[in-house]
Amino acid sequence: MSSQNEYTPPKVWKFNENEAGKWSKINRPYSGATHEKELPRGAHPLQLHSLATPNGQKVTILLEELLALGISEAEYDAYTIDIGEGQQFSSGFVSINPNSKIPAMLDTSVNPPLRLFESGAILQYLAEKHEAFIPKDLKGKTECRNWLMWQMGSAPFLGGGFGHFYVYAPFKQEYPIERYTMETKRQLDVLNKHLVENKYIAGDEYSIADIAIWPWYGRLVLGELYDAAEFLNVDEYTYVKRWAEMIADRPAVKRGIRVNSSAEGGLIERHSAADFD
């Protein structure tokens, strides 16, 4: 291993803001607001402040799925939080998520409004409140929760592990790429074996487990995440690909991934269904 890749930790770690580089407005060793700025407020019951990352897409997909069922109480205003510019550290955002991570939401249909943060918690809240996308039988509900928690625990190895070292690290390092590639492929194998006998993640019923897992693992095998499909040889996960393609064809999913996206066809803000036209 070259000396460039070798690192001897100091006895006591100290934050060097001058060496934070491109991550200086995203990562820091302390919490709280860096500047005063209130969040905008729209007319709908749900106020979402997010970004079209996989975690953000979970929430917008579920909201679009709820609206597709005719649940008008799920109408929402979506505002983009530019994490590269440090907008997640504004006083307004920190007030609804002290952890300064997207997505974060306010439910203004109750008094006082409820703050919601952590994507898995938001999915559970919305699905339970509107009695949709969680199986009603005990086995199905338990499987749905099992796999939702699986995603929350597993995806950091895919995103913060594999994705970071394969794509975003300042230079390629063999050890972390090998370590997290192996774990990512193990996770894909877990999903693939499970989907041999299950149409959806929790069984025969589409649920928030699918909505949570698809933006990470579904988009990965479809070649839409980290440009790593060939490297990971995703074609060997045939059942994951079958499932991923099925979810990708849902109209609400197609709408959901456009919200808070700066890509072509994306919506920086979303205030009504007409915005998609």
Side-chain angles (χ1 to χ4, degrees):
M1 184 175 291
S2 70
S3 60
Q4 183 184 30
N5 294 329
E6 294 174 0
Y7 171 64
T8 301
K11 188 172 182 179
V12 178
W13 183 87
K14 293 182 180 180
F15 179 49
N16 188 340
E17 193 166 0
N18 293 327
E19 294 184 1
K22 64 183 292 187
W23 310 110
S24 62
K25 293 185 179 179
I26 298 177
N27 296 328
R28 57 191 181 130
Y30 49 87
S31 63
T34 60
H35 59 284
E36 293 292 322
K37 185 174 183 180
E38 293 301 309
L39 294 173
R41 180 72 65 91
H44 297 306
L46 299 173
Q47 299 293 298
L48 177 65
H49 301 274
S50 190
L51 188 64
T53 66
N55 284 335
Q57 289 171 342
K58 298 177 197 175
V59 177
T60 50
I61 288 171
L62 177 56
L63 288 167
E64 293 298 328
E65 292 281 13
L66 291 168
L67 291 170
L69 291 180
I71 300 174
S72 60
E73 293 85 356
E75 261 299 357
Y76 68 105
D77 295 284
Y79 298 93
T80 293
I81 297 295
D82 188 339
I83 62 175
E85 292 300 317
Q87 293 179 359
Q88 70 276 28
F89 297 116
S90 73
S91 58
F93 191 85
V94 171
S95 71
I96 60 172
N97 187 356
N99 197 38
S100 293
K101 302 289 185 182
I102 62 92
M105 176 183 282
L106 274 179
D107 184 352
T108 66
S109 69
V110 295
N111 190 22
L114 283 174
R115 72 179 187 182
L116 303 161
F117 60 91
E118 290 297 329
S119 58
I122 297 173
L123 293 187
Q124 282 195 306
Y125 176 84
L126 293 172
E128 289 174 356
K129 180 176 182 178
H130 299 295
E131 298 183 340
F133 302 113
I134 294 180
K136 292 182 170 53
D137 65 288
L138 181 60
K139 179 181 178 182
K141 183 183 297 185
T142 303
E143 275 292 279
C144 178
R145 186 178 294 114
N146 287 342
W147 286 99
L148 177 62
M149 295 303 110
W150 177 88
Q151 186 277 315
M152 299 297 290
S154 297
F157 292 95
L158 170 56
F162 174 77
H164 177 77
F165 287 103
Y166 185 72
V167 179
Y168 301 115
F171 55 90
K172 297 289 189 286
Q173 301 174 72
E174 181 180 0
Y175 176 78
I177 291 176
E178 286 290 310
R179 166 70 178 88
Y180 290 113
T181 297
M182 187 176 300
E183 174 60 13
T184 296
K185 289 184 70 65
R186 188 194 69 81
Q187 293 175 4
L188 287 169
D189 191 53
V190 169
L191 285 175
N192 200 61
K193 288 174 178 173
H194 176 68
L195 288 166
V196 170
E197 298 180 353
N198 293 276
K199 180 178 180 181
Y200 295 107
I201 295 296
D204 293 331
E205 187 176 340
Y206 178 63
S207 73
I208 57 173
D210 300 281
I211 293 171
I213 293 170
W214 184 84
W216 285 103
Y217 298 89
R219 300 199 78 188
L220 182 68
V221 300
L222 294 176
E224 299 170 357
L225 193 64
Y226 305 132
D227 193 24
E230 181 179 8
F231 177 74
L232 294 170
N233 191 22
V234 297
D235 288 340
E236 67 181 326
Y237 306 109
T238 55
Y239 293 94
V240 180
K241 289 197 73 174
R242 183 271 307 165
W243 165 83
E245 291 166 354
M246 179 174 61
I247 304 301
D249 282 340
R250 296 180 67 89
V253 172
K254 293 179 181 179
R255 291 192 298 274
I257 62 175
R258 293 173 57 190
V259 179
N260 296 141
S261 172
S262 60
E264 184 177 356
L267 302 175
I268 299 298
E269 294 186 9
R270 183 269 186 213
H271 301 287
S272 76
D275 293 336
F276 293 103
D277 298 336

